[in-house]
C-alpha cells in the first residue's frame, strides 16, 4: 500500500510520526550493534554497569545476547552488542542479566 516496487523485500526501518515519514530499506539495514535504552532502571542503584559485559533479552523466548554497557545515567543507557542484531525496534523492552540476576532494563529507543 506504499506505492513502492522492488525485486527484493523492503522493511520498515523507522517511523517518523512528527514529519509523517516512513523509512524503508533492505533487511541488512535492520542490523545494529548500538542500542539506546530510555527509562533505564538499575536494580542496585549503587552498582556500576559501564564497561561491564552482561547478557540481554529483547523478547521472552530469544537466546541471550552478549552486550557491554557503554553509557549509563539519567534514566538512559547505551549498550553495544557483540554481534549485530536484526529487528531491534523502538518500544521493545530490554532486560540485562548477570547470569540469572536481573541488573536493569528499560525501553528501546531508536
Amino acid at each position: 500500500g506504499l506505492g513502492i516496487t522492488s525485486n527484493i523485500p523492503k522493511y520498515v526501518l523507522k517511523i517518523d510520526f512528527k514529519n509523517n515519514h516512513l523509512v524503508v530499506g533492505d533487511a541488512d539495514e535492520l542490523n545494529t550493534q548500538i542500542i539506546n535504552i530510555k527509562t533505564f532502571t538499575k536494580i542496585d542503584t549503587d552498582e556500576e554497569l559501564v564497561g561491564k559485559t552482561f547478557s540481554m533479552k529483547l523478547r521472552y523466548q530469544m537466546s541471550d545476547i552478549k552486550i557491554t554497557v557503554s553509557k549509563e545515567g539519567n534514566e538512559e543507557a547505551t549498550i553495544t552488542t557483540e554481534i549485530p542484531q536484526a529487528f531491534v525496534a523502538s518500544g521493545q523492552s530490554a532486560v540485562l542479566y548477570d547470569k540469572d540476576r536481573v541488573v536493569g532494563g528499560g525501553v528501546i529507543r531508536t
Side-chain angles (χ1 to χ4, degrees):
L2 298 175
I4 300 172
T5 57
S6 176
N7 292 333
I8 57 174
K10 297 295 178 188
Y11 299 87
V12 175
L13 302 176
K14 183 176 182 178
I15 300 172
D16 180 354
F17 292 104
K18 182 178 178 184
N19 296 305
N20 199 29
H21 290 149
L22 181 69
V23 180
V24 297
D26 299 331
D28 62 342
E29 293 179 82
L30 293 170
N31 294 337
T32 187
Q33 281 187 272
I34 308 290
I35 299 173
N36 295 305
I37 303 173
K38 63 180 181 176
T39 63
F40 184 73
T41 304
K42 293 192 293 186
I43 301 303
D44 179 353
T45 57
D46 294 329
E47 183 175 10
E48 180 62 41
L49 303 182
V50 175
K52 293 184 179 177
T53 300
F54 299 98
S55 60
M56 178 182 75
K57 283 190 175 189
L58 303 176
R59 290 176 282 290
Y60 172 70
Q61 293 184 352
M62 75 178 296
S63 298
D64 291 354
I65 302 167
K66 282 195 173 226
I67 62 98
T68 302
V69 178
S70 51
K71 180 179 152 189
E72 180 266 314
N74 205 22
E75 294 187 357
E76 295 185 342
T78 301
I79 61 166
T80 305
T81 64
E82 192 174 81
I83 299 170
Q85 299 298 307
F87 305 108
V88 175
S90 287
Q92 285 180 301
S93 293
V95 181
L96 280 59
Y97 297 89
D98 183 8
K99 296 182 177 89
D100 61 351
R101 180 178 67 96
V102 174
V103 294
V107 178
I108 293 174
R109 178 189 67 214
T110 57

